[in-house]
């Protein structure tokens, strides 16, 4: 079945550092890909998405490019802030509209 | 505010008790789904619905029932609570091809 694998956390960075969180997927077809963010005590919020190969999703300074050749959707940000501290989930959906999540990566940004 | 509303936010149950987690959305979304979130495992799909009167099982359906009598509501029933059902539960809704909107979650402890 479809699956998503994220880099293991936790990840701790200093403010203004460059961020990469790796995400790879396994799917039989052509899924849509998502990054969700979960702030402490809250539900998940959609951060960005891409629906076809070579699409780039972007939001709030975060970017991710749908790479079909490497089945990847890595999340990047050029300069992180303390307010970016959260848990980040990579996910895919295809067909019957069922989201499949990675295990999540906890990110902590120190001032 | 438009969105997905879950109640209660917190619940403690004794083993063997039953209860219903409520979920309502006011965005006229076709699809609704229930996930559980456990440490290190991301979110796993319990049950989902593609419209009123239609439900189907997800990845971890055992011990849970759902029904969808209206577009707006999608309650999750625990028939006989077990400690393994201690988790955080999220309800989500979406339209086909659209991003998911998540509720703020219900933290359930079974003792």
């Amino acid at each position: 079945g479809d699956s998503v694998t994220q880099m293991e956390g936790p990840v701790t960075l200093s403010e203004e550092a460059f961020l990469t969180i790796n995400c790879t997927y396994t799917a039989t077809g052509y899924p849509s890909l998502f990054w969700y963010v979960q702030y402490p005590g809250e539900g998940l919020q959609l951060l960005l998405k891409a629906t076809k190969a070579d699409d780039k999703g972007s939001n709030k300074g975060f970017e991710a490019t749908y790479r079909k050749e490497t089945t990847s959707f890595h999340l990047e940000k050029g300069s992180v802030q303390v307010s970016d501290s959260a848990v980040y989930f990579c996910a895919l959906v295809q067909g019957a509209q069922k989201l499949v999540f990675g295990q999540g990566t906890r990110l902590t940004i120190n001032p | 505010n438009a969105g997905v509303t879950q109640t209660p936010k917190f619940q403690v149950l004794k083993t063997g008790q039953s209860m219903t987690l409520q979920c309502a959305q006011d965005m006229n979304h076709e699809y609704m789904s229930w996930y559980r979130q456990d440490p290190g495992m991301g979110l796993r799909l319990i049950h989902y619905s593609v419209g009123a009167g239609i439900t189907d099982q997800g990845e971890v359906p055992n011990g849970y029932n759902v029904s969808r009598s209206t577009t707006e509501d999608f309650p999750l029933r625990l028939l006989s609570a077990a400690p393994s059902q201690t988790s955080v539960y999220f309800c989500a809704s979406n339209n086909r091809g659209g991003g998911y909107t998540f509720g703020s979650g219900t933290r359930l402890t079974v003792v």
Side-chain angles (χ1 to χ4, degrees):
Chain A
D2 298 345
S3 66
V4 176
T5 302
Q6 291 180 232
M7 67 184 289
E8 292 191 16
V11 174
T12 302
L13 296 172
S14 297
E15 206 165 21
E16 298 183 3
F18 184 86
L19 168 71
T20 300
I21 301 178
N22 290 337
C23 170
T24 57
Y25 68 90
T26 301
T28 53
Y30 300 93
S32 294
L33 302 175
F34 303 85
W35 277 100
Y36 281 86
V37 59
Q38 184 180 32
Y39 299 103
E42 298 184 12
L44 278 72
Q45 301 174 24
L46 178 64
L47 181 60
L48 53 84
K49 69 176 184 178
T51 58
K52 60 182 187 296
D54 300 325
D55 268 2
K56 177 185 283 189
S58 61
N59 187 25
K60 299 181 181 180
F62 291 90
E63 294 183 339
T65 301
Y66 190 143
R67 300 287 188 199
K68 190 173 187 305
E69 64 277 14
T70 55
T71 62
S72 64
F73 194 55
H74 305 322
L75 183 68
E76 297 181 336
K77 186 174 186 182
S79 177
V80 293
Q81 306 300 313
V82 172
S83 58
D84 294 326
S85 298
V87 180
Y88 292 81
F89 292 92
C90 186
L92 67 80
V93 66
Q94 65 176 343
Q97 299 294 303
K98 295 183 287 185
L99 270 175
V100 176
F101 287 91
Q103 70 269 39
T105 302
R106 182 175 298 277
L107 174 67
T108 301
I109 307 300
N110 293 323
Chain B
N1 289 338
V4 177
T5 303
Q6 289 184 238
T7 56
K9 291 190 182 303
F10 302 93
Q11 183 70 50
V12 179
L13 290 179
K14 294 182 179 179
T15 298
Q17 286 185 314
S18 62
M19 79 160 294
T20 299
L21 308 185
Q22 302 292 343
C23 176
Q25 53 97 3
D26 58 4
M27 298 169 286
N28 203 32
H29 283 169
E30 298 176 81
Y31 302 100
M32 296 186 75
S33 47
W34 277 102
Y35 292 84
R36 59 177 288 171
Q37 182 179 22
D38 301 296
M41 300 186 72
L43 280 78
R44 293 180 292 169
L45 181 65
I46 304 171
H47 286 285
Y48 67 102
S49 169
V50 299
I54 306 169
T55 63
D56 206 347
Q57 296 182 351
E59 182 184 356
V60 287
N62 292 340
Y64 308 94
N65 275 358
V66 291
S67 60
R68 183 103 179 265
S69 57
T70 67
T71 300
E72 294 79 19
D73 299 301
F74 191 46
L76 178 71
R77 298 182 187 84
L78 280 70
L79 308 173
S80 178
S84 61
Q85 293 178 304
T86 294
S87 188
V88 182
Y89 292 84
F90 289 98
C91 180
S93 72
N94 69 299
N95 279 329
R96 186 170 185 83
Y100 285 60
T101 300
F102 283 83
S104 56
T106 296
R107 185 175 296 274
L108 175 68
T109 302
V110 182
V111 298

